[in-house]
Amino acid sequence: MEVAGESCDVENGAYSNRAIEVKEFDETKAGVKGLVDSGVKEIPRFFIHPPENLAAGNGGAGYEVPVIDLKGLERGERAEIVRGIREASETWGCFQMVNHGIPMTIIEEMLEGVRRFHEQPQEVKMEWYSRDTKQPVRYYCNGDLHVSNAANWRDSISCEVPDGTLDPEALPLLCRKEIKAYIKGMNELKEKVGELVSEALGLKSDHLKKMGCMETQTLVCHYYPVCPQPDLTLGATKHSDPSFLTILLQDNIGGLQVLHQDRWLDIPPLHGALVANIGDLMQLITNDRFKSVEHRVLARQVGPRISAACFFYPSTMSEYKLYGPIMEFLSDDNRPIYRETNVNEYLEYYRSKGLDGTSALPHFKL
């Protein structure tokens, strides 16, 4: 995968042997960690991003992602919390949550379980390698590896949790107990946050639950190895999430950034905190009232960085249910911005375009 000796247009992610090199890399089933373990000093060409993708942020000077302290629910501060979530969802598209009810032991064990999976012997780990999105549990490197212009410096394991029901026997033994406990915590937290988000929209607390839009989870656990050339690539390209809501756990390495007022700002790790991201489908049903946050992850020379993102989608019984702007938000002066769609159609389009730095939402505008 030498760069020298062959012309290539890295800015467009195109060169004559790209498809061949990507295929050869994918067939190793070793992922990015396999490259690092082999001692690479230069990243393969298909990981090199164009300069516009790599534009530096200001680190967040003068800005701070809102922090919502859910402990206030016990102190009669529900109205204040709802107001904070409303303001954060309208202006940032994300917020951090502290005192959310998931014990630190579960959080720490979850991060360690993800690390153990990714750092186990390659010949064992590769048995889980798959690009079949129907596979309930799979390990892979870049879900859009074959369609994206530039690959991201990370490996992942994903677990499907249809209707909140997890089959523990389907999970890798190395992290089975940890994922099972974490998913249980996510199911409980989802109920609480769903009510608060509904109220933040000015609706009854059970509105989103009755819509059935956050009953199924996809848990994606990322592993970002140390990168020898972090100035040439990214851990995750600029994107927004296709879900209704995403709850993210990140370790203390850092690197997560959000795009706010056209500036890339850090979301520094906060001990024990979880990050809530408004997803595309939430922006769609709220008719742009709540904003889906665009974010990215920087590649680093320190690490590995470990994170676990829990994406919330409709019940399996509602895969083909049409979702459009909520009627309460529409009037003669506020017409629907988006057409109705179902989660399968949205995800199919989202995956087909890959993480190309643009939103999938405009495709569904009226």
Side-chain angles (χ1 to χ4, degrees):
M1 297 183 182
E2 298 280 336
V3 174
E6 183 178 348
S7 63
C8 63
D9 181 2
V10 172
E11 292 198 11
N12 292 321
Y15 54 88
S16 59
N17 286 340
R18 185 185 189 281
I20 296 173
E21 292 179 4
V22 167
K23 183 174 183 291
E24 289 176 348
F25 167 76
D26 199 24
E27 289 176 348
T28 69
K29 301 181 179 181
V32 172
K33 187 174 186 301
L35 293 174
V36 174
D37 290 346
S38 71
V40 294
K41 302 300 181 187
E42 296 183 359
I43 65 175
R45 280 177 294 190
F46 56 86
F47 282 98
I48 298 176
H49 285 250
E52 60 268 22
N53 283 15
L54 302 167
N58 73 350
Y63 294 88
E64 185 176 339
V65 174
V67 177
I68 306 296
D69 186 352
L70 296 182
K71 188 77 170 177
L73 293 173
E74 302 172 8
R75 299 192 295 259
E77 299 170 2
R78 190 178 187 91
E80 182 180 337
I81 289 171
V82 167
R83 183 168 57 252
I85 290 176
R86 179 187 305 116
E87 292 173 356
S89 300
E90 289 176 345
T91 58
W92 285 84
C94 66
F95 50 90
Q96 297 213 67
M97 299 181 291
V98 297
N99 295 313
H100 40 67
I102 298 182
M104 274 304 302
T105 52
I106 289 179
I107 285 177
E108 291 168 352
E109 288 171 2
M110 177 63 183
L111 293 171
E112 186 56 34
V114 174
R115 177 194 292 271
R116 278 199 308 272
F117 174 85
H118 285 284
E119 294 182 353
Q120 67 181 308
Q122 182 56 43
E123 61 272 16
V124 180
K125 184 170 61 173
M126 68 171 51
E127 295 177 6
W128 295 90
Y129 199 90
S130 175
R131 295 214 165 271
D132 181 3
T133 58
K134 301 297 184 184
Q135 193 84 2
V137 180
R138 62 192 181 99
Y139 148 64
Y140 55 94
C141 178
N142 283 253
D144 61 346
L145 181 65
H146 294 277
V147 298
S148 65
N149 287 329
N152 292 315
W153 197 255
R154 69 179 181 187
D155 298 327
S156 309
I157 176 175
S158 68
C159 311
E160 298 296 329
V161 189
D163 302 319
T165 303
L166 180 70
D167 176 12
E169 298 303 314
L171 296 169
L173 189 58
L174 272 178
C175 51
R176 181 177 298 169
K177 177 173 69 73
E178 292 78 10
I179 290 179
K180 181 181 177 182
Y182 189 72
I183 285 294
K184 182 176 183 293
M186 282 291 104
N187 277 327
E188 294 170 357
L189 181 59
K190 175 257 297 184
E191 298 294 331
K192 184 189 302 182
V193 175
E195 290 182 358
L196 293 170
V197 171
S198 292
E199 292 173 34
L201 286 166
L203 304 168
K204 291 183 178 179
S205 60
D206 62 351
H207 194 101
L208 292 178
K209 185 175 181 63
K210 285 185 174 179
M211 289 180 67
C213 57
M214 296 199 300
E215 301 306 308
T216 286
Q217 297 97 50
T218 298
L219 179 67
V220 185
C221 306
H222 298 302
Y223 183 93
Y224 303 82
V226 170
C227 183
Q229 294 177 300
D231 55 329
L232 296 181
T233 190
L234 288 166
T237 315
K238 171 190 171 186
H239 68 286
S240 56
D241 296 336
S243 56
F244 280 90
L245 185 76
T246 305
I247 297 180
L248 173 74
L249 165 64
Q250 61 171 335
D251 67 9
N252 61 0
I253 294 295
L256 176 64
Q257 294 186 326
V258 297
L259 191 62
H260 180 66
Q261 297 181 359
D262 296 321
R263 302 179 186 182
W264 284 111
L265 308 174
D266 293 333
I267 299 189
L270 192 59
H271 185 67
L274 296 168
V275 181
N277 288 343
I278 299 298
D280 289 351
L281 289 171
M282 186 71 76
Q283 179 168 336
L284 185 149
I285 66 170
T286 64
N287 215 38
D288 280 356
R289 180 172 295 196
F290 282 4
K291 307 298 185 184
S292 181
V293 63
E294 292 186 307
H295 51 290
R296 69 180 184 180
V297 177
L298 302 180
R300 309 290 288 267
Q301 284 184 311
V302 295
R305 177 183 186 268
I306 295 169
S307 68
C310 193
F311 302 87
F312 291 95
Y313 295 107
S315 161
T316 54
M317 302 294 290
S318 303
E319 286 181 341
Y320 296 99
K321 177 181 177 180
L322 292 176
Y323 287 94
I326 295 172
M327 292 302 298
E328 284 84 346
F329 301 149
L330 303 180
S331 65
D332 290 340
D333 297 325
N334 190 19
R335 309 296 295 173
I337 297 170
Y338 304 98
R339 66 174 176 85
E340 292 184 327
T341 185
N342 61 61
V343 66
N344 280 0
E345 181 191 18
Y346 196 89
L347 286 175
E348 183 178 354
Y349 178 72
Y350 185 94
R351 289 167 178 155
S352 71
K353 64 187 283 299
L355 300 186
D356 62 358
T358 64
S359 171
L361 277 169
H363 181 74
F364 295 87
K365 283 191 172 182
L366 290 169

